[in-house]
Structure formats: structure tokens, C-alpha cells
Coordinates of all heavy atoms in Angstrom, one line a residue:
M1296 N 92.9 109.7 90.3 CA 92.6 110.7 91.3 C 93.7 110.8 92.3 O 94.2 109.8 92.8 CB 91.3 110.4 92.1 CG 91.1 111.3 93.2 SD 89.3 111.3 93.8 CE 89.4 109.8 94.6
E1297 N 94.3 111.9 92.5 CA 95.3 112.1 93.5 C 94.8 112.3 94.9 O 93.9 113.1 95.1 CB 96.2 113.3 93.1 CG 97.7 113.2 93.5 CD 98.5 114.2 93.1 OE1 98.5 114.4 91.7 OE2 99.1 115.0 93.8
D1298 N 95.3 111.5 95.9 CA 94.8 111.6 97.2 C 96.1 111.3 98.2 O 96.4 110.3 98.7 CB 93.9 110.4 97.5 CG 93.2 110.5 98.9 OD1 93.1 111.5 99.5 OD2 92.6 109.4 99.2
P1299 N 96.9 112.4 98.2 CA 98.0 112.3 99.1 C 97.9 112.2 100.6 O 97.0 112.6 101.1 CB 98.9 113.5 98.7 CG 97.9 114.5 98.4 CD 96.8 113.7 97.7
V1300 N 98.7 111.3 101.2 CA 98.6 111.2 102.7 C 100.1 111.4 103.1 O 101.0 110.8 102.7 CB 98.2 109.6 103.2 CG1 98.3 109.4 104.6 CG2 96.8 109.4 102.5
E1301 N 100.2 112.4 104.1 CA 101.5 112.7 104.6 C 101.9 111.6 105.4 O 101.2 111.1 106.2 CB 101.5 114.0 105.3 CG 101.3 115.2 104.4 CD 101.2 116.5 105.1 OE1 102.1 116.6 106.0 OE2 100.2 117.3 105.1
V1302 N 103.4 111.5 105.4 CA 104.0 110.5 106.3 C 103.6 110.9 107.8 O 103.8 112.0 108.0 CB 105.6 110.3 106.1 CG1 106.2 109.5 107.2 CG2 105.7 109.7 104.7
G1303 N 103.2 110.0 108.6 CA 102.8 110.3 109.9 C 101.4 110.9 110.1 O 100.9 111.0 111.3
K1304 N 100.7 111.0 109.0 CA 99.3 111.5 109.1 C 98.3 110.5 108.7 O 98.6 109.4 108.2 CB 99.0 112.6 108.0 CG 99.9 113.8 108.2 CD 99.5 114.7 109.5 CE 100.4 115.9 109.6 NZ 99.9 117.0 110.2
E1305 N 97.0 110.5 109.2 CA 96.0 109.6 109.0 C 95.1 110.0 107.9 O 94.8 111.1 107.7 CB 95.3 109.4 110.3 CG 94.4 108.2 110.4 CD 94.0 107.9 111.8 OE1 92.8 108.4 112.1 OE2 94.5 107.1 112.5
A1306 N 94.7 109.1 107.1 CA 93.5 109.3 106.1 C 92.4 108.3 106.4 O 92.7 107.2 106.9 CB 94.1 109.0 104.8
V1307 N 91.2 108.7 105.9 CA 90.1 107.8 106.1 C 89.5 107.4 104.7 O 89.3 108.4 103.9 CB 88.9 108.6 106.9 CG1 87.6 107.7 107.0 CG2 89.5 108.9 108.3
Y1308 N 89.3 106.3 104.3 CA 88.7 105.7 103.2 C 87.3 105.2 103.3 O 87.2 104.5 104.4 CB 89.6 104.8 102.5 CG 90.8 105.3 102.0 CD1 92.1 105.1 102.8 CD2 91.0 105.9 100.8 CE1 93.3 105.6 102.3 CE2 92.2 106.4 100.4 CZ 93.4 106.3 101.2 OH 94.6 106.8 100.8
E1309 N 86.4 105.6 102.5 CA 85.1 105.1 102.7 C 84.8 104.1 101.7 O 85.1 104.4 100.5 CB 84.1 106.3 102.7 CG 82.6 105.8 102.8 CD 81.7 106.9 102.9 OE1 81.4 107.6 104.0 OE2 81.0 107.3 101.8
I1310 N 84.4 102.9 102.0 CA 84.0 101.8 101.1 C 82.6 101.6 101.1 O 82.1 101.3 102.3 CB 84.8 100.6 101.4 CG1 86.4 100.9 101.5 CG2 84.5 99.4 100.5 CD1 87.0 99.7 102.1
R1311 N 81.8 101.7 100.0 CA 80.4 101.3 100.0 C 80.2 100.0 99.2 O 80.6 99.9 98.0 CB 79.7 102.4 99.3 CG 79.7 103.8 100.1 CD 78.9 105.0 99.4 NE 78.9 106.0 100.2 CZ 78.0 106.2 101.2 NH1 76.9 105.5 101.2 NH2 78.0 107.3 101.9
V1312 N 79.5 99.1 99.7 CA 79.1 97.9 99.1 C 77.6 97.9 98.9 O 76.8 97.9 99.8 CB 79.5 96.6 100.1 CG1 79.1 95.3 99.4 CG2 81.0 96.7 100.4
T1313 N 77.3 97.9 97.6 CA 75.8 98.0 97.3 C 75.4 96.7 96.5 O 75.9 96.3 95.5 CB 75.5 99.2 96.4 OG1 76.1 100.3 97.0 CG2 74.1 99.5 96.1
N1314 N 74.1 96.3 96.9 CA 73.5 95.1 96.1 C 72.7 95.7 95.0 O 71.7 96.2 95.3 CB 72.7 94.3 97.1 CG 72.0 93.2 96.4 OD1 72.1 93.0 95.2 ND2 71.2 92.4 97.2
Q1315 N 73.2 95.5 93.9 CA 72.5 96.2 92.6 C 71.6 95.0 92.0 O 71.1 95.2 90.9 CB 73.4 96.8 91.7 CG 74.2 97.8 92.2 CD 75.2 98.6 91.1 OE1 75.6 97.9 90.4 NE2 75.6 99.7 91.5
G1316 N 71.6 93.8 92.5 CA 70.9 92.7 92.0 C 69.4 92.7 92.4 O 68.9 93.7 92.8
T1317 N 68.7 91.7 92.0 CA 67.3 91.5 92.2 C 67.0 90.5 93.4 O 65.8 90.3 93.6 CB 66.6 91.1 90.8 OG1 67.2 89.6 90.6 CG2 66.9 92.1 89.8
G1318 N 67.9 90.0 94.0 CA 67.8 89.2 95.2 C 68.7 89.6 96.3 O 69.7 90.2 96.2
V1319 N 68.4 89.1 97.5 CA 69.2 89.2 98.7 C 70.6 88.6 98.5 O 70.6 87.4 98.0 CB 68.5 88.7 99.9 CG1 69.5 88.9 101.1 CG2 67.3 89.4 100.2
C1320 N 71.7 89.3 98.8 CA 73.0 88.7 98.7 C 73.3 88.1 100.1 O 73.0 88.9 101.2 CB 74.0 89.7 98.4 SG 73.8 90.1 96.6
T1321 N 73.9 87.0 100.2 CA 74.2 86.5 101.6 C 75.8 86.3 101.7 O 76.5 85.9 100.6 CB 73.5 85.2 101.9 OG1 73.9 84.2 100.8 CG2 72.0 85.4 101.9
N1322 N 76.4 86.4 102.8 CA 77.7 86.2 103.2 C 78.6 87.0 102.2 O 79.5 86.4 101.6 CB 78.0 84.7 103.0 CG 77.3 83.9 104.2 OD1 77.3 84.5 105.3 ND2 76.7 82.8 103.9
V1323 N 78.5 88.2 102.0 CA 79.2 89.1 101.2 C 80.5 89.4 102.0 O 80.4 89.9 103.1 CB 78.4 90.3 100.8 CG1 79.3 91.3 100.1 CG2 77.1 90.0 100.1
Q1324 N 81.6 89.1 101.5 CA 82.9 89.4 102.2 C 83.7 90.4 101.4 O 83.8 90.3 100.2 CB 83.6 88.2 102.6 CG 84.8 88.4 103.4 CD 85.4 87.1 103.8 OE1 85.3 86.1 103.3 NE2 85.9 87.2 105.1
L1325 N 84.2 91.4 102.2 CA 85.2 92.4 101.6 C 86.6 92.0 102.1 O 86.9 91.9 103.2 CB 84.6 93.7 102.2 CG 85.5 95.0 101.8 CD1 85.4 95.2 100.3 CD2 85.0 96.2 102.6
V1326 N 87.5 92.2 101.1 CA 88.9 92.1 101.4 C 89.6 93.4 100.8 O 89.4 93.7 99.6 CB 89.5 90.8 100.9 CG1 91.0 90.8 101.1 CG2 89.0 89.6 101.5
A1327 N 90.4 94.1 101.5 CA 91.1 95.2 100.9 C 92.5 95.1 101.2 O 93.0 94.5 102.1 CB 90.6 96.5 101.8
A1328 N 93.3 95.7 100.3 CA 94.7 95.6 100.2 C 95.4 97.0 100.5 O 94.9 98.0 99.7 CB 95.4 95.0 98.9
M1329 N 96.3 97.1 101.4 CA 96.9 98.4 101.6 C 98.3 98.3 100.9 O 99.1 97.3 100.9 CB 97.1 98.7 103.1 CG 95.8 98.9 103.8 SD 96.0 99.1 105.6 CE 96.9 97.6 106.0
G1330 N 98.7 99.5 100.4 CA 100.1 99.4 99.7 C 101.1 99.5 100.8 O 100.8 99.9 102.0
E1331 N 102.4 99.2 100.5 CA 103.5 99.3 101.4 C 103.6 100.8 101.7 O 103.4 101.7 100.9 CB 104.8 98.9 100.8 CG 104.8 97.3 100.6 CD 104.7 96.6 101.9 OE1 105.2 96.9 102.9 OE2 104.1 95.4 101.8
G1332 N 103.9 101.2 102.9 CA 104.0 102.5 103.4 C 102.6 103.0 104.1 O 102.5 104.2 104.3
M1333 N 101.7 102.0 104.3 CA 100.5 102.3 105.1 C 100.3 101.4 106.1 O 100.6 100.1 106.1 CB 99.2 102.1 104.0 CG 99.0 103.2 103.0 SD 97.5 102.9 102.2 CE 97.4 104.2 101.0
T1334 N 99.7 101.8 107.2 CA 99.4 101.0 108.3 C 98.0 101.2 108.8 O 97.4 102.3 108.8 CB 100.3 101.4 109.6 OG1 101.7 101.3 109.2 CG2 100.0 100.6 110.7
Y1335 N 97.3 100.1 109.0 CA 95.9 100.1 109.4 C 95.8 100.7 110.8 O 96.6 100.3 111.7 CB 95.2 98.8 109.3 CG 94.0 98.6 110.0 CD1 92.9 99.1 109.4 CD2 93.9 98.0 111.2 CE1 91.5 99.0 110.0 CE2 92.6 97.7 111.8 CZ 91.5 98.2 111.1 OH 90.2 98.0 111.7
T1336 N 94.9 101.7 111.2 CA 94.8 102.2 112.4 C 93.4 102.0 113.0 O 93.2 102.2 114.2 CB 95.1 103.7 112.5 OG1 94.2 104.5 111.6 CG2 96.6 103.9 112.1
G1337 N 92.5 101.7 112.2 CA 91.1 101.4 112.7 C 90.0 101.5 111.6 O 90.3 101.9 110.5
S1338 N 88.7 101.1 112.0 CA 87.7 101.2 111.1 C 86.4 101.2 111.8 O 86.2 100.8 113.0 CB 87.8 100.0 110.0 OG 87.6 98.7 110.7
S1339 N 85.3 101.5 111.1 CA 84.0 101.3 111.6 C 83.2 100.8 110.3 O 83.4 100.9 109.2 CB 83.4 102.6 112.0 OG 83.2 103.5 110.9
G1340 N 82.1 100.0 110.7 CA 81.2 99.4 109.7 C 80.4 98.3 110.2 O 80.4 98.1 111.4
P1341 N 79.6 97.6 109.4 CA 78.7 96.7 109.8 C 79.3 95.3 110.4 O 78.5 94.6 111.1 CB 77.9 96.4 108.7 CG 78.6 96.8 107.5 CD 79.4 97.8 107.9
T1342 N 80.5 95.0 110.0 CA 81.2 93.8 110.5 C 82.7 94.1 110.9 O 83.2 95.2 110.7 CB 81.3 92.7 109.4 OG1 82.1 93.3 108.3 CG2 79.9 92.4 108.9
Q1343 N 83.1 93.2 111.7 CA 84.5 93.4 112.2 C 85.5 93.1 111.2 O 85.3 92.5 110.1 CB 84.7 92.3 113.4 CG 83.8 92.6 114.6 CD 84.1 93.9 115.3 OE1 85.3 94.2 115.6 NE2 83.0 94.6 115.6
V1344 N 86.7 93.6 111.3 CA 87.9 93.4 110.5 C 89.0 92.9 111.2 O 89.3 93.1 112.3 CB 88.2 94.8 109.8 CG1 88.7 95.8 110.7 CG2 89.2 94.6 108.6
K1345 N 89.8 92.1 110.5 CA 91.3 91.6 110.9 C 92.2 92.0 110.0 O 92.1 91.9 108.8 CB 91.0 90.1 111.0 CG 90.2 89.6 112.0 CD 90.0 88.0 111.8 CE 88.9 87.5 112.7 NZ 87.6 87.7 112.1
A1346 N 93.3 92.6 110.5 CA 94.4 93.0 109.7 C 95.4 91.9 109.6 O 95.7 91.2 110.6 CB 95.1 94.2 110.3
Q1347 N 95.7 91.4 108.2 CA 96.6 90.4 108.0 C 97.7 90.9 107.1 O 97.4 90.9 105.9 CB 95.7 89.2 107.4 CG 94.8 88.7 108.5 CD 93.9 87.5 107.7 OE1 94.0 87.2 106.5 NE2 93.1 86.8 108.5
G1348 N 98.7 91.4 107.8 CA 99.8 92.0 107.0 C 99.3 93.2 106.3 O 98.7 94.2 107.0
Q1349 N 99.4 93.3 105.0 CA 98.9 94.6 104.3 C 97.4 94.4 103.7 O 96.9 95.1 102.9 CB 99.8 94.8 103.1 CG 101.2 95.4 103.5 CD 101.1 96.6 104.5 OE1 101.4 96.5 105.6 NE2 100.7 97.7 103.8
H1350 N 96.8 93.3 104.2 CA 95.4 93.0 103.8 C 94.5 93.3 104.9 O 94.8 92.9 106.1 CB 95.2 91.6 103.2 CG 95.9 91.4 102.0 ND1 97.2 91.1 101.8 CD2 95.4 91.5 100.7 CE1 97.5 91.0 100.6 NE2 96.4 91.3 99.8
L1351 N 93.3 93.7 104.7 CA 92.2 93.8 105.7 C 91.1 92.8 105.3 O 90.5 92.9 104.1 CB 91.7 95.2 105.8 CG 92.7 96.2 106.1 CD1 91.9 97.7 106.1 CD2 93.3 96.1 107.4
V1352 N 90.8 92.0 106.2 CA 89.7 90.9 105.8 C 88.6 91.2 106.8 O 88.7 91.0 108.1 CB 90.3 89.5 106.0 CG1 89.2 88.5 105.7 CG2 91.6 89.3 105.2
F1353 N 87.4 91.5 106.2 CA 86.2 91.9 107.0 C 85.4 90.6 107.1 O 85.3 89.8 106.2 CB 85.4 93.0 106.2 CG 86.2 94.2 106.1 CD1 87.1 94.4 105.1 CD2 85.9 95.2 107.0 CE1 87.8 95.8 105.0 CE2 86.6 96.5 106.9 CZ 87.5 96.6 106.0
D1354 N 84.7 90.4 108.2 CA 83.8 89.4 108.5 C 82.7 89.5 107.5 O 82.3 90.6 107.1 CB 83.2 89.5 109.9 CG 84.2 89.0 110.9 OD1 85.3 88.4 110.6 OD2 84.1 89.2 112.1
P1355 N 82.0 88.4 107.0 CA 81.0 88.5 106.1 C 79.8 89.2 106.5 O 79.4 89.2 107.7 CB 80.7 87.0 105.7 CG 81.9 86.2 106.1 CD 82.4 87.1 107.4
I1356 N 79.1 89.9 105.5 CA 77.9 90.5 105.8 C 76.8 89.4 105.6 O 76.7 88.9 104.6 CB 77.6 91.6 104.8 CG1 78.6 92.8 104.9 CG2 76.1 92.2 105.1 CD1 78.5 93.7 103.8
P1357 N 76.0 88.9 106.7 CA 75.1 87.9 106.6 C 74.2 88.0 105.5 O 73.9 87.1 104.8 CB 74.5 87.9 108.0 CG 75.4 88.5 108.8 CD 76.1 89.6 108.0
A1358 N 73.5 89.2 105.3 CA 72.6 89.4 104.3 C 72.5 90.9 103.9 O 72.6 91.7 104.8 CB 71.1 89.0 104.8
L1359 N 72.5 91.2 102.5 CA 72.4 92.4 102.1 C 71.3 92.5 101.1 O 71.1 91.9 100.1 CB 73.8 92.8 101.4 CG 74.0 94.2 100.8 CD1 73.9 95.2 102.1 CD2 75.3 94.6 100.1
A1360 N 70.3 93.3 101.6 CA 68.9 93.3 100.9 C 69.2 93.9 99.5 O 70.1 94.6 99.2 CB 68.0 94.2 101.6
V1361 N 68.2 93.8 98.6 CA 68.1 94.3 97.3 C 68.1 95.9 97.5 O 67.5 96.4 98.3 CB 66.9 94.0 96.5 CG1 66.8 94.8 95.2 CG2 66.7 92.5 96.3
K1362 N 69.1 96.5 96.8 CA 69.4 98.0 96.9 C 70.0 98.3 98.3 O 70.2 99.5 98.5 CB 68.1 98.9 96.6 CG 67.5 98.5 95.2 CD 68.4 98.7 94.2 CE 67.6 98.5 92.8 NZ 68.4 98.1 91.8
G1363 N 70.3 97.3 99.1 CA 70.9 97.5 100.3 C 72.3 98.0 100.2 O 73.0 97.8 99.2
E1364 N 72.8 98.7 101.2 CA 74.2 99.3 101.2 C 74.8 99.0 102.5 O 74.2 99.3 103.6 CB 74.2 100.8 100.8 CG 75.5 101.4 100.6 CD 75.4 102.8 100.1 OE1 74.9 103.6 100.9 OE2 75.7 103.0 99.0
A1365 N 76.1 98.7 102.5 CA 76.9 98.6 103.7 C 78.1 99.6 103.6 O 78.8 99.7 102.4 CB 77.5 97.2 103.9
V1366 N 78.3 100.5 104.6 CA 79.3 101.4 104.4 C 80.4 101.1 105.5 O 80.2 101.1 106.8 CB 78.7 102.8 104.6 CG1 79.9 103.8 104.6 CG2 77.6 103.1 103.6
Y1367 N 81.7 101.1 105.1 CA 82.8 100.9 106.0 C 83.6 102.2 105.9 O 83.9 102.8 104.8 CB 83.7 99.8 105.6 CG 83.0 98.4 105.7 CD1 82.3 97.9 104.6 CD2 83.1 97.7 106.8 CE1 81.6 96.7 104.8 CE2 82.6 96.5 107.0 CZ 81.8 95.9 105.9 OH 81.3 94.6 106.0
R1368 N 84.3 102.6 107.0 CA 85.2 103.7 106.9 C 86.5 103.1 107.5 O 86.5 102.7 108.7 CB 84.7 104.8 107.8 CG 83.6 105.6 107.0 CD 83.0 106.8 107.9 NE 82.0 107.4 107.1 CZ 80.7 106.9 106.9 NH1 80.4 105.8 107.6 NH2 79.8 107.5 106.3
V1369 N 87.6 103.2 106.8 CA 88.9 102.6 107.2 C 89.9 103.7 107.3 O 90.1 104.6 106.6 CB 89.3 101.5 106.1 CG1 90.6 101.0 106.5 CG2 88.2 100.5 105.9
R1370 N 90.6 103.7 108.6 CA 91.6 104.7 108.8 C 93.0 104.1 108.5 O 93.3 103.0 109.1 CB 91.5 105.1 110.2 CG 90.2 105.9 110.4 CD 90.2 106.6 111.8 NE 90.5 105.7 112.9 CZ 89.6 104.8 113.4 NH1 88.4 104.7 113.0 NH2 90.0 104.1 114.5
V1371 N 93.8 104.7 107.8 CA 95.3 104.3 107.6 C 96.1 105.4 107.9 O 95.8 106.6 107.8 CB 95.4 103.8 106.2 CG1 94.6 102.6 105.9 CG2 95.2 104.9 105.2
K1372 N 97.3 105.1 108.2 CA 98.4 106.1 108.5 C 99.5 105.9 107.5 O 99.9 104.8 107.2 CB 98.9 105.9 109.9 CG 99.9 107.0 110.4 CD 100.3 106.7 111.7 CE 100.8 107.9 112.5 NZ 101.1 107.8 113.8
G1373 N 100.0 107.0 106.9 CA 101.1 107.0 106.1 C 102.4 106.8 106.9 O 102.7 107.5 107.8
T1374 N 103.2 105.7 106.5 CA 104.4 105.4 107.3 C 105.6 105.6 106.7 O 106.7 105.6 107.2 CB 104.3 103.9 107.9 OG1 104.1 103.0 106.7 CG2 103.1 103.8 108.7
A1375 N 105.7 105.8 105.2 CA 106.9 105.8 104.4 C 106.5 106.7 103.1 O 105.3 106.7 102.7 CB 107.4 104.6 104.1
A1376 N 107.5 107.4 102.8 CA 107.4 108.2 101.5 C 107.3 107.3 100.3 O 107.9 106.1 100.3 CB 108.5 109.2 101.4
G1377 N 106.5 107.7 99.3 CA 106.6 106.9 98.0 C 105.0 106.8 97.6 O 104.1 107.5 98.1
E1378 N 104.8 106.0 96.6 CA 103.5 105.8 96.0 C 102.9 104.6 96.5 O 103.4 103.5 96.3 CB 103.6 105.9 94.5 CG 102.2 105.9 93.8 CD 102.1 105.9 92.4 OE1 103.0 106.8 91.8 OE2 101.5 105.2 91.8
A1379 N 101.8 104.6 97.2 CA 101.1 103.6 97.8 C 99.5 103.6 97.4 O 99.0 104.7 97.3 CB 101.2 103.5 99.3
R1380 N 99.0 102.5 97.2 CA 97.5 102.6 96.8 C 96.7 101.7 97.8 O 97.3 100.7 98.5 CB 97.3 101.9 95.4 CG 98.3 102.6 94.4 CD 97.4 102.8 93.2 NE 98.3 103.3 92.1 CZ 98.2 104.6 91.6 NH1 97.2 105.3 92.2 NH2 98.9 105.0 90.7
F1381 N 95.5 102.0 97.9 CA 94.6 101.3 98.9 C 93.5 100.8 98.1 O 92.9 101.3 97.2 CB 94.0 102.3 99.9 CG 93.0 101.6 100.8 CD1 93.4 101.0 102.0 CD2 91.6 101.5 100.5 CE1 92.5 100.4 102.9 CE2 90.8 100.9 101.4 CZ 91.2 100.3 102.6

């Protein structure tokens, strides 16, 4: 899927974490990698995030119920021309 982000412009990515199992999941942690040419500008979701270089490390979700869903929205800015993946 093509999802171009212009240099100097911002894009928003939505990440959905769903418990498809039969029991509660505990301490679910999300880590995302940004390609070179992207800069983290902010996010919203059920837990806090720390930017560590090109990685985003989200605090664990204490408990995610059966069929439960956690939704994060991550904002990044294009900083250099080229092909980068999130």
C-alpha cells in the first residue's frame, strides 16, 4: 500500500492492538520502528510512549480483556526524501 508523506508534512498512523484469545492478556507492550526520514511528533492512546531514536516504546497495557482493543494514534513528520516505513 502506498502512503506517501511529504517532507515537512505530518502523517497519522493508527495502531490497533486486539486480544483475539480466550483469556485476559496482561502487560502487553507495543514497540514501533520508524524509518530514517521520519520524526515522532506526538501520539495518543491508553499508555504513554517514549521515543528512543527511531523506536517508539509504549508503556505496557496492564490488562486487555478478551476481545478488548487498545487504539493508538501516532503522528510522524517526514524529514527527508526517500522510502521510509513505519
Side-chain angles (χ1 to χ4, degrees):
M1296 174 164 72
E1297 206 168 305
D1298 188 16
V1300 178
E1301 292 181 47
V1302 173
K1304 301 283 179 150
E1305 198 170 83
V1307 178
Y1308 292 96
E1309 184 174 271
I1310 303 167
R1311 293 180 175 271
V1312 180
T1313 305
N1314 180 357
Q1315 297 178 340
T1317 58
V1319 174
C1320 289
T1321 58
N1322 295 317
V1323 177
Q1324 189 168 27
L1325 176 65
V1326 177
M1329 298 178 295
E1331 294 297 325
M1333 287 185 180
T1334 300
Y1335 170 74
T1336 60
S1338 63
S1339 64
T1342 62
Q1343 297 295 313
V1344 63
K1345 294 174 190 73
Q1347 297 177 350
Q1349 290 304 107
H1350 290 86
L1351 303 177
V1352 180
F1353 295 82
D1354 288 344
I1356 301 166
L1359 190 58
V1361 174
K1362 306 297 180 208
E1364 184 175 73
V1366 179
Y1367 295 88
R1368 287 179 181 80
V1369 177
R1370 293 184 314 277
V1371 298
K1372 187 177 202 176
T1374 58
E1378 185 172 319
R1380 304 219 183 254
F1381 179 86

